[in-house]
Amino acid sequence: MKIVFVIDQVYLHGGIERVLSIKANYFAEQANYQVHIITTEQKDNAPCYEFSDKIIFQDLRVNYNRQKSYFHPVNLLKLPKHINKTRSAIKKINPDVVVVCSHSMDTYFVPFINRKTPKVKEFHYSKFIEENKRNSPSLFKKLFFKYTDYVEKKYDRLVILNKDESNYYKSNNTVVIPNPLTFYPDTVSKLTNNIVITAGRIAHVKGYDILIDVWKIVNETEKKWELHIYGDGDPNYVHKLQHKINEYGLQDSLILKGATATIKEKMLNSSIFVMTSHNECFPLVLLEAQACGLPIVSFDCPYGPRNIISEDNGVLIPHYDNETFADRLVHLMNAKEELKKMGEQARKDSSKYELEAVMNQWKNMFQKL
């Protein structure tokens, strides 16, 4: 079976790129599978994650101006070339299925080219973010949403990450396939270090400014604990976070650690994972934390965490209730037996997302198509 994955690039660190590397590597190492990855703006950069040397890469060199909207005239002028190059590449490969991974320009035209080839679109974000704009759209947005709904119906399958997301789609071609675990370590955290950890892209949507407010409350009583934040992002936003940390006098206990290539080891050295996002879809980092045996304290934001966290393996906090978040965090810091039981259950629950179990769902879908 020939599979083509379509994505904008694979040289920048991100969840979509990371999950693609896992899926593509899995299929590349399977008998009777041939994997191609078509990019539009790799720009001769090396992939940021490890990819099997059996995977065939092709960059179309469309190179959109990412400082502007895809629908800006500067980028729209590149669209015909993009469509023609994609059509030619798919025709030459003659795949059994095409999977569009990132939410870029490919999304809007792939269903209408190479018609005989089944097409799959992955969604790695929550459509909750469109809710307000859909309820009171401008004329442009109204037309845009009408078109996107039409496009989605033309895909053979829409892969969404949790069952709650299906409520946002007007087509009946959705299928729920969660992200697979990137690792399942042989050991788990001993939960003895006074370290709370979180990790992800340093961006407003992750709510790290709120987490600083929560930690200010925690730090009033728990002076021996530290909060480590791993990830990188917009330097201006990072600067604002550091300024807020300094303003609160938390620089000794709340540390922006930057990006790391060894997040598994960092998790195994911690005792609690926290998340204060404004919205999520199916955060892979929560599965990784559970695989390391970490209990999770998270806001019940739309809609990912509630599909991963239960009362047996962590704590869901009403959205934006900072006081309750801090209170439950302090409670777990001082309830070692409860922390241990949650960690054991988290590890057990994470096994549902081991690679083989999730990839079998992809195999079954491809075979049906």
Side-chain angles (χ1 to χ4, degrees), residues 95-279:
D96 295 287
V97 64
V98 173
V99 182
V100 179
C101 303
S102 57
H103 202 65
S104 48
M105 286 299 281
D106 321 274
T107 298
Y108 304 107
F109 68 78
V110 165
F112 308 107
I113 61 174
N114 310 92
R115 295 287 188 118
K116 294 181 180 180
T117 306
K119 313 294 195 322
V120 176
K121 171 71 181 110
E122 295 182 46
F123 284 88
H124 290 271
Y125 70 94
S126 174
K127 281 212 172 187
F128 167 80
I129 64 175
E130 296 179 354
E131 196 170 42
N132 288 338
K133 291 179 180 178
R134 280 183 177 267
N135 289 335
S136 54
S138 63
L139 177 60
F140 172 78
K141 280 294 183 182
K142 185 176 182 179
L143 294 173
F144 177 72
F145 287 137
K146 188 173 183 179
Y147 178 68
T148 58
D149 291 342
Y150 171 73
V151 170
E152 288 166 9
K153 292 177 182 178
K154 295 301 179 180
Y155 278 97
D156 294 274
R157 293 290 186 278
L158 304 177
V159 175
I160 58 177
L161 295 174
N162 67 67
K163 63 183 187 302
D164 292 310
E165 286 298 311
S166 61
N167 297 323
Y168 292 110
Y169 294 85
K170 297 184 177 181
S171 53
N172 59 359
N173 55 347
T174 59
V175 57
V176 177
I177 304 180
N179 284 330
L181 270 170
T182 55
F183 52 71
Y184 195 75
D186 295 330
T187 60
V188 295
S189 170
K190 295 180 181 178
L191 307 181
T192 54
N193 292 329
N194 292 344
I195 296 174
V196 176
I197 187 174
T198 191
R201 178 168 49 96
I202 304 298
H204 175 73
V205 70
K206 300 298 181 180
Y208 291 128
D209 54 326
I210 299 174
L211 182 56
I212 295 171
D213 291 331
V214 170
W215 192 254
K216 182 176 183 291
I217 301 171
V218 172
N219 187 249
E220 291 173 0
T221 57
E222 304 305 318
K223 301 292 186 183
K224 294 181 179 180
W225 282 76
E226 293 183 4
L227 170 59
H228 295 173
I229 300 176
Y230 287 93
D232 56 19
D234 176 18
N236 291 327
Y237 185 59
V238 174
H239 177 75
K240 287 179 181 178
L241 294 179
Q242 187 61 60
H243 178 75
K244 188 170 188 175
I245 292 168
N246 296 343
E247 187 178 35
Y248 285 171
L250 298 173
Q251 55 267 41
D252 292 333
S253 67
L254 202 170
I255 307 163
L256 300 177
K257 291 284 192 175
T260 179
T262 58
I263 190 62
K264 176 176 69 174
E265 287 71 24
K266 306 302 183 185
M267 288 179 173
L268 291 172
N269 195 47
S270 306
S271 295
I272 302 171
F273 190 94
V274 292
M275 176 172 278
T276 50
S277 297
H278 294 282
N279 62 77

